[in-house]
Amino acid sequence: MAQVPQTFFDALAVRTWCGLALETLGRAREEIDAINVYPVADGDTGTNLYLTVESAVGAVEAVFAGHAAGSGPEGPTLADAAGAMAHGALIGARGNSGTILAQLLRGMAQVLAGGDTAGADGQGLRLALRHAADSARQAVAHPVEGTVLTVASAAADAACGAEGDCGRVARAAYEGALSALAETPGQLPVLERAGVVDAGGRGLVAVLGALVETFTGERPRGTATAASAARVSAGAAGVPGARASAPVAAGSHSPVATGGQGPVATGAQGPVAAGSQSPVAAGAQGPGESRAHLVPGQADGPEAGAHTGPGECAEGPAVPGPDGPAFEVIYLLEAEDAAVTRLRERLDALGDSLVVVGGDGLWNVHVHVDDAGAAVEAGIEAGRPHRIRITHFGAGDVHTTGAERPPRERAQRAVVAVVPGEGLAGLYGEAGATTVLARPGEPPASGELVQAVRRAHAREVVLLPNDAELRHTAAAAAEQARTEGIRVALIPTRSAVQGIAALAVHEPERRFDEDVVSMTSAAGATRYAEVTVAEHQSWTMAGICQAGDVLGLIDGDVAVIGSDVTATAETVLDRMLAAGGEMVTLVLGDEAPDAVAEHLEGRVREGYLAVDTVVYRGGRQGSLLLIGVE
């Protein structure tokens, strides 16, 4: 859809640019994934960039929605929108490529949000691009030329030499980046051998192309031919066995609404490369007592099934071999600047591909190491790490060994579930489900759910969102997966305890429709409740609650307001069992009192004959307690 060009870089321009960047990366994702050969050829750079920008889009849309819901007529400022873009990219960054892109966006936001005007002109955009390139380079421990850093610097150099409005500056930056991209094979031997350009740089060119479209209303030409130009260059140099990058598949772009209200992302793209590794656990807590028909073992970890895989890196060994780092470690870190400085030094000594981006107390840390535990421990010493992702690099790769991996046969059926805590991730994983971890305030995007469906590698997939607010996100992911030939059934589970009930009756040997009906029936027959603590004063169905009150929610509505966790939980449980039940499921969060489970078990045993109780440990699930009654 043709865009109304923006004259100044204001809040609407930020919104438009983010939406167009997501749309552009959606179209180019498969091509970028296919040329990902440095330093780990795992074929997911395009996907990681897409998911990073999708997170930025969500943050910007939230800012606009918040202002629209207010009583004032004015919308968000440039500082509001640019800050949201940078923050969204930071917390949603995937892989090294996404981490560096997040720092580029943060660098731009620092300049754009620094003025008092409602919008930035061409001079402001030049300064923003320069600061972005410089700050991204500073975030990488050992920058290497021929990567996205080179392309970003070239874009900034070209922009600084341009005169005129934002449209002229953006076009100059795009053309400078495109030229630098074509030169990357001559700067990195691994790119030259493969006959491709740098994947991260290719993604940045796509993002800058969207910036041009934002300010001119026209999509620049040349992006789609960037990889071809590099192959011609490589071929002219006599590179044997140059491999052509995959063309963009028809219909591979994700739908993005770009009407008068700004772009809103509704889907995600990008298959995980064949044979991509599952995340390895880091400090997962196993579940508690086992249910009769769900027998959990050792949990795979807090991020089981939640990570999209390592991304293109700006530095490090070109080909991971037996002597290269075994793990990629990524986490968000809340820490002071001085502690982060010490952390950089320690992680640099532990491994390579070190990138630390962020600021103002929140950082995104990425490193390749052999000792993943030591990398996490370093983060604990520096501050509070969370959203920890650890990925084990597989031995060998089609890009680095020259030998094709034998295709892994698809399973007939799989279950993909969103879970709120590490313990439940382990429980679901041991029961055979592919999991996506959703921490409080960090719901998964549709792209992450699509990734999980692909990672399940099955012809038929049952999707359990386990959250009423994720239903539309899950529906969009299911629709996207269906276009790729995967049969997906969405069971609208609204709580993890409903998902447990559905998974307990799952039988892959049954006909798909029969299995879905049985799982849906089990989930629907399970009432669910939650015990949590109020964060602020608000009106509820049970009256006015104050910050710090203990709330008991039944089927999503506040039913009990109390001051004691155990007493409130008992009241909630009694109300639920008043309507009958045969099985009570209790999922305890890390912050729940130790005695609450024992007390509730005793209450059921003494007051409700023939009702069984099963207890699981949910880990950091946000709620103090989840209750299910079947």
Side-chain angles (χ1 to χ4, degrees):
M1 178 182 293
Q3 300 297 308
V4 177
Q6 304 294 314
T7 305
F8 291 97
F9 212 143
D10 56 9
L12 181 58
V14 172
R15 187 186 202 185
T16 303
W17 179 34
C18 286
L20 289 173
L22 188 69
E23 183 181 14
T24 304
L25 286 170
R27 290 193 302 268
R29 180 202 48 75
E30 288 186 344
E31 175 199 332
I32 298 172
D33 282 346
I35 63 174
N36 174 199
V37 300
Y38 176 81
V40 180
D42 51 1
D44 65 356
T45 290
T47 299
N48 287 338
L49 289 169
Y50 183 95
L51 293 174
T52 300
V53 173
E54 185 180 47
S55 181
V57 168
V60 172
E61 288 302 318
V63 166
F64 273 85
H67 278 266
S71 57
E74 296 188 8
T77 64
L78 173 59
D80 293 334
M85 172 187 69
H87 182 73
L90 178 67
I91 65 174
R94 295 294 190 272
N96 204 339
S97 55
T99 304
I100 293 174
L101 178 60
Q103 186 66 5
L104 287 166
L105 296 180
R106 175 179 170 80
M108 292 189 69
Q110 287 175 325
V111 173
L112 296 175
D116 296 328
T117 60
D121 56 10
Q123 173 65 11
L125 180 55
R126 284 194 291 271
L127 293 175
L129 290 168
R130 177 77 275 161
H131 184 64
D134 293 343
S135 60
R137 188 171 288 269
Q138 292 167 5
V140 177
H142 304 287
V144 170
E145 298 306 323
T147 65
V148 61
L149 298 178
T150 303
V151 176
S153 294
D157 291 343
C160 288
E163 298 292 338
D165 59 15
C166 288
R168 291 180 180 272
V169 173
R171 188 175 295 278
Y174 169 80
E175 292 174 352
L178 192 62
S179 297
L181 179 67
E183 299 299 323
T184 56
Q187 296 169 301
L188 274 179
V190 65
L191 300 179
E192 189 174 37
R193 285 193 298 271
V196 297
V197 295
D198 177 68
R202 169 66 181 88
L204 179 57
V205 167
V207 172
L208 291 173
L211 187 64
V212 175
E213 189 172 357
T214 298
F215 291 115
T216 67
E218 300 176 356
R219 183 181 301 168
R221 298 181 180 180
T223 306
T225 61
S228 300
R231 290 196 301 273
V232 171
S233 176
V239 179
R243 178 176 57 84
S245 64
V248 178
S252 66
H253 63 282
S254 75
V256 178
T258 53
Q261 297 303 312
V264 180
T266 59
Q269 299 288 333
V272 174
S276 61
Q277 301 298 311
S278 299
V280 178
Q285 290 186 346
E289 293 86 355
S290 63
R291 185 188 183 104
H293 37 262
L294 284 182
V295 185
Q298 181 65 32
D300 279 345
E303 294 294 339
H307 179 46
T308 59
E312 173 271 334
C313 299
E315 51 85 22
V319 180
D323 297 327
F327 298 98
E328 177 192 55
V329 179
I330 303 175
Y331 49 80
L332 288 178
L333 178 69
E334 295 177 12
E336 299 297 328
D337 291 4
V340 172
T341 299
R342 294 190 296 270
L343 176 66
R344 290 178 191 268
E345 295 174 355
R346 182 168 177 185
L347 292 179
D348 194 24
L350 286 175
D352 58 33
S353 295
L354 174 61
V355 184
V356 181
V357 304
D360 301 323
L362 182 63
W363 309 82
N364 193 307
V365 179
H366 174 285
V367 67
H368 293 176
V369 293
D370 280 322
D371 190 345
V376 175
E377 288 173 4
I380 294 173
E381 292 178 5
R384 188 179 79 86
H386 53 105
R387 295 189 70 172
I388 301 168
R389 299 180 179 90
I390 301 177
T391 303
H392 181 263
F393 293 129
D397 188 278
V398 296
H399 298 320
T400 58
T401 65
E404 293 288 341
R405 284 181 179 153
R408 179 163 61 97
E409 177 132 6
R410 285 184 178 273
Q412 181 59 35
R413 190 173 308 158
V415 176
V416 172
V418 179
V419 292
E422 298 92 337
L424 284 177
L427 173 67
Y428 273 75
E430 288 299 325
T434 297
T435 60
V436 178
L437 189 61
R439 289 197 172 93
E442 300 172 359
S446 61
E448 292 179 87
L449 300 187
V450 174
Q451 288 283 71
V453 170
R454 295 188 183 109
R455 190 169 55 251
H457 204 64
R459 299 180 182 88
E460 301 167 340
V461 171
V462 180
L463 183 56
L464 306 175
N466 291 340
D467 187 335
E469 294 184 0
L470 283 179
R471 182 170 181 176
H472 295 299
T473 300
E479 186 63 29
Q480 173 56 39
R482 292 185 189 113
T483 66
E484 300 174 9
I486 304 172
R487 190 179 184 187
V488 181
L490 171 61
I491 298 179
T493 49
R494 295 172 290 174
S495 171
V497 291
Q498 288 189 322
I500 290 174
L503 193 57
V505 300
H506 168 55
E507 293 185 14
E509 295 77 17
R510 279 191 299 217
R511 291 179 58 248
F512 185 65
D513 292 339
E514 292 177 356
D515 197 30
V516 171
V517 168
S518 178
M519 295 176 71
T520 303
S521 178
T526 302
R527 298 188 70 197
Y528 65 97
E530 173 184 352
V531 177
T532 188
V533 176
E535 295 182 356
H536 48 76
Q537 183 189 61
S538 68
W539 292 85
T540 75
M541 297 288 291
I544 300 176
C545 71
Q546 305 295 328
D549 284 348
V550 180
L551 306 181
L553 291 81
I554 299 177
D555 293 337
D557 293 324
V558 176
V560 180
I561 300 175
S563 57
D564 180 75
V565 174
T566 302
T568 302
E570 181 179 326
T571 302
V572 169
L573 184 58
D574 285 342
R575 291 193 184 184
M576 296 179 73
L577 285 173
E582 300 177 354
M583 169 81 75
V584 172
T585 300
L586 304 175
V587 183
L588 272 71
D590 280 349
E591 298 181 0
D594 294 336
V596 67
E598 183 178 349
H599 179 85
L600 294 179
E601 283 184 288
R603 175 66 178 167
V604 172
R605 187 168 51 250
E606 295 171 4
Y608 303 93
L609 298 178
V611 177
D612 295 326
T613 305
V614 61
V615 179
Y616 300 117
R617 293 284 175 180
R620 294 172 293 175
Q621 63 184 23
S623 302
L624 297 174
L625 176 68
L626 299 177
I627 304 174
V629 175
E630 302 174 42

